[in-house]
């Protein structure tokens, strides 16, 4: 098995970009989801509720700078220095440092509501919840529940087969981007990754924290922003337990290092 795609999301709930290699830190891929959006009261705002966030994409320029763009206009965002942190509601985070005001105004104008971009200064303070497979010392970025998300092409292919059996099957295959993974591998058997306690990617080991529960985000077309029933409808018929639907696995790094597209993948 091999890595076929690596994807980085510098800003939580904005579109991301493919990369050929990525450095893995204890809390996830370097630069992944270190930025997030909040409303004027500090409540987090995600694409679950504000679908238009997916119209914006973020990409890493260098260690200190990201670019946010809508396909035509863009703005450079530097890590904020010397600004006091503000309260935020991101679970187990508490505080984050705001970006420059002009950046937040640019985003607010494009989304159509007041928003503030904030940066997670210290990811070591946000713990992975024990309810999501976290152990003592596990930390994460502003990602929902785990440092990295891995999906497999064979599992998506099986899901597509199930969807094709529906009377009103979608005319186009679902893009893996709907599931917002960091790591995509080709895989061996569909959903075999559910039972891997550990997995080695290249020279780096990872522990499987849990199978990933899926939400309404997967029903939003990342290009048109149209919403539909899939894939939640089909997952609920084949992959439903504990009142949730499941696809992909959340991984916790067991060390630091670099992973690359093409790396060999071996379950533990």
């Amino acid at each position: 098995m091999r890595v076929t795609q690596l994807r980085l999301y510098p800003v939580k709930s904005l579109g991301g970009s493919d990369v050929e290699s990525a450095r893995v830190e204890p809390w996830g891929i370097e630069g992944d989801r270190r930025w997030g959006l909040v409303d004027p009261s500090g409540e987090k705002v995600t694409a679950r509720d504000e679908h238009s966030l997916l119209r914006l994409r973020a990409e890493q320029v260098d260690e200190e700078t990201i670019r946010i763009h809508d396909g035509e206009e863009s703005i450079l965002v530097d890590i904020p220095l010397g600004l006091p942190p503000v309260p935020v509601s991101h679970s187990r985070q508490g505080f984050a440092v705001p970006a420059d005001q002009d950046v937040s105004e640019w985003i607010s104008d494009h989304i159509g509501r007041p928003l503030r971009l904030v940066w997670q200064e210290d990811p070591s303070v946000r713990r992975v919840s024990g309810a999501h497979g976290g152990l003592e010392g596990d930390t994460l970025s502003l990602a929902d529940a785990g440092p990295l998300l891995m999906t497999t092409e064979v599992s998506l292919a099986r899901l597509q087969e199930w969807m094709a059996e529906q009377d009103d099957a979608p005319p186009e295959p679902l893009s893996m981007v709907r599931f917002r993974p960091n790591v995509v591998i080709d895989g061996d058997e569909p959903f075999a990754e559910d039972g891997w306690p550990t997995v080695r990617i290249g020279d780096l080991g990872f522990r499987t924290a849990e199978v990933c529960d899926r939400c309404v985000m997967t029903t939003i077309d990342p290009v048109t922003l149209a919403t539909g029933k899939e894939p939640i409808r089909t997952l609920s018929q084949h992959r439903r337990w504990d009142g949730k639907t499941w696809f992909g696995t959340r991984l916790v790094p067991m060390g630091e290092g670099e992973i690359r597209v093409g790396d060999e993948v071996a379950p533990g």
Side-chain angles (χ1 to χ4, degrees), residues 91-201:
S91 177
R92 302 177 305 284
Q93 180 63 34
F95 291 87
V97 183
D100 291 340
Q101 185 62 29
D102 64 323
V103 173
S104 293
E105 290 175 354
W106 187 93
I107 295 173
S108 298
D109 289 344
H110 280 73
I111 301 302
R113 59 180 287 190
L115 295 172
R116 195 172 196 180
L117 184 67
V118 295
W119 180 63
Q120 183 192 44
E121 185 174 19
D122 183 5
S124 68
V125 305
R126 187 166 182 248
R127 304 297 183 185
V128 180
S129 169
H132 291 285
L135 302 178
E136 182 67 30
D138 290 343
T139 61
L140 75 161
S141 63
L142 295 179
D144 280 344
L148 287 90
L149 176 64
M150 184 185 74
T151 58
T152 73
E153 292 179 352
V154 292
S155 295
L156 180 60
R158 177 58 57 83
L159 174 59
Q160 301 278 16
E161 291 172 358
W162 290 334
M163 288 172 52
E165 297 170 359
Q166 303 286 346
D167 292 336
D168 56 345
E172 299 293 334
L174 291 184
S175 166
M176 188 71 87
V177 172
R178 288 196 183 218
F179 298 95
R180 297 178 69 84
N182 297 113
V183 181
V184 181
I185 68 173
D186 47 15
D188 185 10
E189 294 292 330
F191 304 107
E193 62 274 14
D194 292 1
W196 298 346
T198 62
V199 60
R200 179 162 293 278
I201 302 174

Side-chain angles (χ1 to χ4, degrees), residues 14-240:
L14 266 57
S17 59
D18 291 338
V19 295
E20 288 299 309
S21 64
R23 176 161 182 80
V24 176
E25 301 173 317
W27 40 80
I29 288 179
E30 181 180 29
D32 186 69
R33 295 175 174 91
R34 292 290 298 277
W35 297 89
L37 290 160
V38 298
D39 66 14
S41 70
E43 288 293 318
K44 70 178 179 180
V45 177
T46 74
R48 291 183 182 88
D49 303 308
E50 188 60 67
H51 297 352
S52 59
L53 291 177
L54 295 174
R55 294 193 188 279
L56 299 180
R57 304 180 70 83
E59 58 188 26
Q60 198 78 29
V61 176
D62 56 38
E63 292 182 358
E64 298 183 350
T65 307
I66 64 172
R67 182 190 303 275
I68 300 176
H69 62 90
D70 63 358
E72 297 180 359
E73 299 179 317
S74 68
I75 189 169
L76 291 174
V77 185
D78 294 324
I79 290 176
L81 299 175
L83 296 176
V86 297
V88 296
S89 68
H90 289 84
S91 177
R92 302 177 305 284
Q93 180 63 34
F95 291 87
V97 183
D100 291 340
Q101 185 62 29
D102 64 323
V103 173
S104 293
E105 290 175 354
W106 187 93
I107 295 173
S108 298
D109 289 344
H110 280 73
I111 301 302
R113 59 180 287 190
L115 295 172
R116 195 172 196 180
L117 184 67
V118 295
W119 180 63
Q120 183 192 44
E121 185 174 19
D122 183 5
S124 68
V125 305
R126 187 166 182 248
R127 304 297 183 185
V128 180
S129 169
H132 291 285
L135 302 178
E136 182 67 30
D138 290 343
T139 61
L140 75 161
S141 63
L142 295 179
D144 280 344
L148 287 90
L149 176 64
M150 184 185 74
T151 58
T152 73
E153 292 179 352
V154 292
S155 295
L156 180 60
R158 177 58 57 83
L159 174 59
Q160 301 278 16
E161 291 172 358
W162 290 334
M163 288 172 52
E165 297 170 359
Q166 303 286 346
D167 292 336
D168 56 345
E172 299 293 334
L174 291 184
S175 166
M176 188 71 87
V177 172
R178 288 196 183 218
F179 298 95
R180 297 178 69 84
N182 297 113
V183 181
V184 181
I185 68 173
D186 47 15
D188 185 10
E189 294 292 330
F191 304 107
E193 62 274 14
D194 292 1
W196 298 346
T198 62
V199 60
R200 179 162 293 278
I201 302 174
D203 297 325
L204 193 58
F206 298 83
R207 189 186 84 250
T208 300
E210 64 175 351
V211 184
C212 182
D213 55 306
R214 308 313 313 205
C215 68
V216 68
M217 283 276 287
T218 61
T219 67
I220 307 169
D221 186 297
V223 177
T224 67
L225 303 192
T227 59
K229 300 176 182 178
E230 299 292 2
I232 296 296
R233 177 180 63 172
T234 297
L235 285 173
S236 68
Q237 295 171 2
H238 298 271
R239 301 272 301 167
R240 182 179 178 84

